[in-house]
Structure formats: structure tokens, C-alpha cells
Amino acid sequence: MTTAILGGGLSGLTLARLLHEQGEDVIVLEAEPASGGLCRSKTDQGFTFDRGGSHIIFSRDAEVLAFMRRMIAGNEQTNDRHTKIFYKQRYVKYPFENGLSDLPPEDRFFCISEFVKTLIAVEKGELPLPSNFREWIYHTFGKGIAECYMVPYNEKIWKFPTALMSLHWVDGRIPRPPVDDVIKSAIGIETEGYTHQSVFSYPLDGGIEALVHAIAHPIEPVTRTGFVITSIMKKGHQWLISDGLETINADRCICTMPIQHLIAALENVPEAVVTACNSLTYNALVCVNIGIRGTVPDISWLYIPDPSLGKTNRISFPSSYSRHVAPDGCSAILAEITHQPGDDVAQMTDAALIEEVTATLETMQILTRDQIVYSSVERQPFAYVVYDLDYQKNIAIVKKYCEALGIPLVGRFAQFEYLNMDGCIRSVMDFVSSGTHR
Ligand SMILES: Cc1cc2nc3c(=O)[nH]c(=O)nc-3n(C[C@H](O)[C@H](O)[C@H](O)COP(=O)(O)OP(=O)(O)OC[C@H]3O[C@@H](n4cnc5c(N)ncnc54)[C@H](O)[C@@H]3O)c2cc1C
């Protein structure tokens, strides 16, 4: 019995490892020259940058967190989160509702008074239940926090109107602030939000790829890279998986690559399934990596909601996670720009993107141009699932079809869900323990 695992990102590699540990015969088929997907990292001129945007290791799931930390044992640095939001030329503590005392007084008043008014209106049943993400933001945080931060930041990262986004995913993902915390934060008493992330781990050496390397180690001999799956057919009880040059036979196949690539590789897919799949929305990502001589602010990462500051939605400082990711005397800055496939950002040259980010960092007084000693650009075609209002209808059609075909979907873009690394590993563990692959 051979199981082919389509895609060799974190999900595919973890799945292969766990099945291999159970004595199963597996092969991982990965399109890129190296496995790891969004969790790859690149070391160049003494700087190490995560290629799929800045990653940290954290989880509410104790078993999964223990697994990830075991994988990087001996190569782990733990850090306290120092995350900020750049708002009106000042640093506001993250999450925003825990940083209200950092706001100018008039904004602080606007946020707290609208938060309390909204709370009272909700209690009295005067506000209708929210029916989309934008309404949920106003309903949960009030007009002040919504308009100062939540709506501008979310529209910048999702590149999608929040009023056209579903709200089925927000619980557990976007922290719901306890009233006491918001009031304390407005009057200047320190509070922490999103606490399961307030301490996080990062590999000392090798960037986040060190985690997937460690997971992948036992299954390296059965991992085929450079194999771009273009066709998947079933003949009798066998799956024939091809890259156009070579065909691999397998008894079972499990998909961890984007669902769009799976549907495109299958034959005779009903029109309704193709349409539903093509309607699923997602964002691509550009990462601009900058190495500088000198230091950066003592911040883990920084959200930039203000559209007038440029296209960057988040900046992280990897050299604050591990001193080993930048040469002595230097610091690392990773700027993330989400965008829609094929849009104006997709058309920009690397030089134009580096200039765009440099200008933003100068305006924010994080660097001066003459400090820059390194720059490079990475592009990821699949970065974030965007939950539009038709998401649940469309994904149900596609998943039902794959289920009937007998191809399980595991991972961020195979399940087409906003899963972090811990969510992917949980999906893999649950899948393996359910025994549905047998
Ligand atoms: C900006 C950003 C920041 C993030 N930060 C964090 C964080 O701090 N902490 C955290 O826990 N998670 C974070 N994540 C999420 C994390 O990256 C993902 O959960 C995880 O990497 C998904 O792994 P995957 O294997 O499911 O998908 P992927 O990594 O997308 O892997 C899919 C694989 O399929 C391959 N493939 C595609 N098409 C084909 C084909 N035709 N043939 C063969 N192979 C193919 C791809 O090359 C890829 O290797 C972040 C994500 C982003 C975008």
C-alpha cells in the first residue's frame, strides 16, 4: 500500500512523518526545488529570513505545542511578545484594545466611550446581531476601536471589504476583549490580550524552516521535490499522479497542496465544482527582507493600519526573535505586503517593492537608507484564505466532491481554512488517529 502525499509543506511533511512512524509506505510529491512550503527560510549574507512571512511558534493546543518544541529542542529561543501597532506616529500596544492608554487623549475617549455605549446597546438588545465581519467588529469593539484600527487594518491585510467578509471564523481568532481589560487599558493599567501568544518560540538557527527540517528528517528519502503535479487519474484501484514527464502510482492519495491545484489536475470535474473552486478567494504575499547596520526598536512585530504609510501591512524584526539571524552589529526587518493575485503589487519589480518599503521605514523613522546592507524579495502565491460571504457555500461543494472521490484534504490551502502551523499539525494528528486513510 503506497500513500502519495500531494504537497510537501508543513502539513504534507508532518503527515508523511506520522504515517511513516506507523510503518506506512509514503511518498511526498512537492513542486518546489525544496520542501517546506510557507515555512521555508532563506539564509543569505549572514541574514536568515522566513520566506512565507514572519513565523513564530505558539499554540493553545498543548499537545501540538509540545510536538513543535520537541522538534526544535536544543535550537529554541523563547521570547516575550513585544508587539505594537503604529498609529499616528506612535507605538500602541497590541492588541489595540489593550493599548488604549497609548492613544492620543481624544482617540482614547472616542474608543472607550463607543465601546461602553455599544456594550450597553448590546445588553439592551438594541443592536441587531452582526451578519458580516464589519458589523461584527462594530458590535464587538464599538465605533472607536473599529474605525481607529480594526477596520483599516483588516481591510489592509485582507484586501477585501470587511462588509463582504463572513464572520463564521472570528471567534477564537480575534480576541474578544473582557470589559475590565478595555477600561483598565484606557486608564493606563497594564493588561495583556491574546495571552496564549504572549510568550513564543523561534528556532535559534535556520529560521522557521528549522522546524519543518526537523519534522521532515526521517522522511527525506521519500520526498520528491521538483515534482509539479499536473494530472491525477484513477485507474481501477490505483491513482496515477503525473508531472507531465513521469507518473507515480499510488494506492491512496492525500492532498495538502492548494485545492485549486488539485481540482485543476483532476479530469472530468463537474462545472459546478470548478466554478465553486474558482470562486474561493485568497491573498498572495510579497515579503521584502531588509538587513541594516545598527539596531531596530525593541519590538517583535508591528502592524501598520494606516494606508497613507504605504502598502506594507506588517513589519517584523526577526533579529529580535533570535540574535543568530543577522550578522554581528546588524538587524533584520521583514515587511509583508498582502495582495490579490495579478494586481498592481504583483506587477511591481523587486526594486520597486524594496523602494516602497524603504520609503515606509524611513517615514516611520525605523531606518535611514544608508544603514541598508541587504535587501531581497520573496513572493508567495498562496498566503491567506479570505472568507468572503460565499465561502461556506463554495467550499462545501468542493469538499463534498473530493470526499466522494476519496481524496482527503489536510492543511491550510487543501482544507482552504485559516490554519496556522498548530492548526495544520492538529489536522494531521486528528486525520492520522482517525484512521480514515486506511
Ligand atoms: C504571512 C504569514 C505568516 C504566518 N505566520 C505564522 C505564525 O507566526 N505562526 C503559525 O503557526 N503559522 C503562521 N502562518 C501559517 C503557516 O505558514 C501555515 O499554517 C503553514 O505553513 C501551512 O502549511 P501547509 O503545508 O498546509 O501549506 P503550504 O505551506 O502552502 O504547503 C503546500 C505545498 O504544496 C506545494 N504545491 C502546490 N502546488 C503543487 C503541485 N501542483 N504539485 C506539487 N506540490 C504543490 C507547495 O509548493 C507547498 O510546498 C503564517 C502564514 C503566513 C502567510
Side-chain angles (χ1 to χ4, degrees):
M1 267 287 188
T2 301
T3 301
I5 296 172
L6 318 180
L10 173 73
S11 303
L13 296 169
T14 309
L15 180 57
R17 179 187 175 115
L18 298 193
L19 293 178
H20 173 78
E21 283 173 354
Q22 294 192 345
E24 302 216 12
D25 182 14
V26 291
I27 179 165
V28 179
L29 302 173
E30 165 56 42
E32 293 291 321
S35 60
L38 282 169
C39 294
R40 288 177 66 193
S41 307
K42 176 172 90 170
T43 299
D44 192 9
Q45 298 174 40
F47 290 96
T48 302
F49 288 100
D50 293 342
R51 298 180 60 173
S54 164
H55 280 63
I56 56 160
I57 297 170
F58 70 99
S59 186
R60 285 193 183 94
D61 185 327
E63 185 188 5
V64 170
L65 185 59
F67 172 82
M68 291 192 279
R69 295 189 64 191
R70 197 166 63 244
M71 290 298 127
I72 58 161
N75 183 29
E76 180 187 18
Q77 175 163 331
T78 50
N79 296 292
D80 290 333
R81 182 187 66 199
H82 292 289
T83 294
K84 304 282 182 190
I85 295 145
F86 195 78
Y87 180 80
K88 296 192 178 171
Q89 291 298 318
R90 51 175 85 202
Y91 292 123
V92 174
K93 184 177 175 170
Y94 168 87
F96 192 80
E97 58 277 12
N98 292 80
L100 299 181
S101 65
D102 295 329
L103 296 178
E106 62 280 14
D107 291 346
R108 198 184 317 152
F109 172 72
F110 179 42
C111 290
I112 191 74
S113 104
E114 292 298 327
F115 179 77
V116 171
K117 279 189 229 162
T118 306
L119 209 64
I120 295 168
V122 170
E123 284 288 310
K124 286 184 171 169
E126 288 169 1
L127 280 186
L129 283 177
S131 66
N132 59 51
F133 183 34
R134 186 184 178 88
E135 286 174 11
W136 180 87
I137 291 173
Y138 277 80
H139 197 270
T140 308
F141 296 95
K143 189 173 153 67
I145 296 174
E147 293 179 3
C148 291
Y149 171 64
M150 286 298 284
V151 171
Y153 183 70
N154 277 288
E155 298 209 334
K156 201 170 188 191
I157 183 171
W158 299 114
K159 299 288 175 297
F160 211 78
T162 43
L164 299 181
M165 288 179 71
S166 141
L167 54 80
H168 74 277
W169 58 281
V170 293
D171 268 335
R173 249 195 202 281
I174 302 182
R176 247 174 207 275
V179 183
D180 278 357
D181 276 16
V182 179
I183 294 171
K184 276 184 185 168
S185 97
I187 59 176
I189 301 173
E190 279 280 308
T191 56
E192 279 306 322
Y194 220 31
T195 47
H196 64 289
Q197 198 198 53
S198 56
V199 176
F200 65 89
S201 299
Y202 192 74
L204 210 44
D205 285 301
I208 202 65
E209 186 170 314
L211 171 67
V212 282
H213 256 167
I215 294 173
H217 183 64
I219 42 106
E220 264 163 27
V222 292
T223 303
R224 276 286 302 271
T225 53
F227 194 97
V228 183
I229 299 162
T230 51
S231 145
I232 304 165
M233 285 189 286
K234 192 150 196 195
K235 270 227 169 102
H237 292 295
Q238 284 274 295
W239 289 101
L240 309 183
I241 305 153
S242 169
D243 66 350
L245 297 169
E246 190 188 343
T247 300
I248 306 276
N249 286 25
D251 304 288
R252 290 181 297 229
C253 93
I254 305 170
C255 177
T256 74
M257 66 181 183
I259 187 100
Q260 288 82 352
H261 291 188
L262 174 68
I263 295 297
L266 293 165
E267 50 177 8
N268 302 325
V269 180
E271 202 47 49
V273 177
V274 174
T275 305
C277 185
N278 291 342
S279 306
L280 293 170
T281 310
Y282 59 94
N283 274 338
L285 176 73
V286 162
C287 296
V288 177
N289 307 319
I290 309 263
I292 61 163
R293 219 179 301 105
T295 57
V296 286
D298 179 23
I299 290 175
S300 312
W301 64 92
L302 187 58
Y303 295 98
I304 309 174
D306 184 352
S308 73
L309 282 170
K311 298 179 188 297
T312 305
N313 53 282
R314 186 172 77 135
I315 290 171
S316 56
F317 300 98
S319 46
S320 309
Y321 305 176
S322 160
R323 271 309 316 160
H324 295 197
V325 302
D328 282 348
C330 292
S331 305
I333 305 170
L334 195 169
E336 294 167 16
I337 302 176
T338 53
H339 67 100
Q340 283 283 293
D343 69 1
D344 59 328
V345 173
Q347 314 301 327
M348 286 171 76
T349 61
D350 287 3
L353 287 162
I354 291 167
E355 177 50 39
E356 155 78 29
V357 168
T358 304
T360 298
L361 294 171
E362 275 187 320
T363 310
M364 293 168 71
Q365 297 181 349
I366 287 175
L367 55 66
T368 52
R369 239 161 237 276
D370 57 323
Q371 285 182 282
I372 300 178
V373 293
Y374 177 84
S375 57
S376 66
V377 172
E378 296 286 338
R379 296 169 196 257
Q380 296 291 345
F382 287 86
Y384 289 100
V385 167
V386 178
Y387 289 122
D388 65 22
L389 293 176
D390 290 329
Y391 167 82
Q392 285 175 297
K393 180 189 81 189
N394 288 323
I395 196 66
I397 295 170
V398 184
K399 284 189 172 170
K400 193 169 163 207
Y401 176 72
C402 295
E403 196 183 332
L405 218 55
I407 304 183
L409 307 171
V410 184
R412 182 164 166 121
F413 288 102
Q415 291 172 246
F416 213 78
E417 287 172 28
Y418 185 177
L419 299 177
N420 275 329
M421 296 189 295
D422 61 340
C424 292
I425 294 171
R426 170 51 53 206
S427 274
V428 169
M429 286 178 168
D430 288 350
F431 176 77
V432 171
S433 62
S434 73
T436 42
H437 56 288
R438 294 207 178 89

